[in-house]
Amino acid sequence: PRRLVCAMLSRCTTAARRRARGSTGWGGPWARRSRCFASGMKRGELELEHMRLDSIVLPKRIILLRHGESLGNVTEEAYASVPDHLVPLTKRGRAQAAAAGQRIKHEFVGDDPVHVYVSPYLRTKQTLAEVVKALDSNDIYGAREEPRLAEQQFGGAFQDFEAMQHAKQERMRYGRFFYRFPGGEGGLDVYNRTSSFMATLHRDFANAEIKDPNLNVIIVTHGLALRLFVMRWFLYTTSQFEASLNPPNCGIVEMLRHSDG
């Protein structure tokens, strides 16, 4: 996983040089502006209180992608022996991610520029690794591993299968948004960190390094975090959230900018 993230960031400098030459070749394993994004964008990031609304350029679209099928999706007993953040994709999950990459390329972004945010979990990073194979002609402005996009924390370390099944049944009776797993997070907690991430997004949209009216933002995350991102963005109610379901593995949600900006 560490090598994968480094590979993502290493494409920054290559892509920047390629863009200056006007070339559209891939030129190596990914992102642009490595110094900026590897350091958390300290150089280019604007402080929220100094950010003018007219300095923000909203992206053309935001694409939310759930990870491919993981070992934990096949059997929840995997969480008893594998840390949640290290649960890998299955062979089927990798194929789903590759197919999602082709769909994103041909149905959504074409050859437009891309900027990526990804949960630090292994299954999301493996999903992204397959997706970017389809984006070989795109200028990828940057890639950021974003902890606030991580899976809901279920408490403790390795999961006790029987105790977790009981907790999930209790959650169904109590409500998914407000139920908090013992020692872990509730939907409200994930909502709050998603809200914090949204503030970062808007700072990035004002950053001269990446703002572009043709930009496509791809966010690779988990089912619950994806739904709570949509809830926060569109200000849905908790009742509307409770009525929603996770998208399938590698399900895509497209948020397209209105023509009036």
Side-chain angles (χ1 to χ4, degrees), residues 20 30 33 48 62 85 87 91 101 114 121 124 136-137 146 169 192-193 197 205 210 231 236:
W30 14 333
R33 314 290 188 191
L48 192 58
I62 297 175
H85 65 282
V87 170
K91 183 177 179 180
V114 171
Y121 277 42
T124 46
D136 58 346
S137 65
E146 176 50 70
Q169 292 172 7
N192 286 337
R193 56 177 161 91
F197 168 63
F205 296 160
I210 66 170
M231 176 187 175
Y236 290 157

Side-chain angles (χ1 to χ4, degrees), residues 29 32 34 45 56 67 83 131 138-139 163 199 204-205 231 239 242 252:
R32 177 174 174 261
S34 60
E45 190 172 37
I56 294 175
H67 61 80
V131 167
N138 296 79
D139 195 357
D204 289 352
F205 296 160
M231 176 187 175
S239 296
E242 293 288 357
I252 295 172

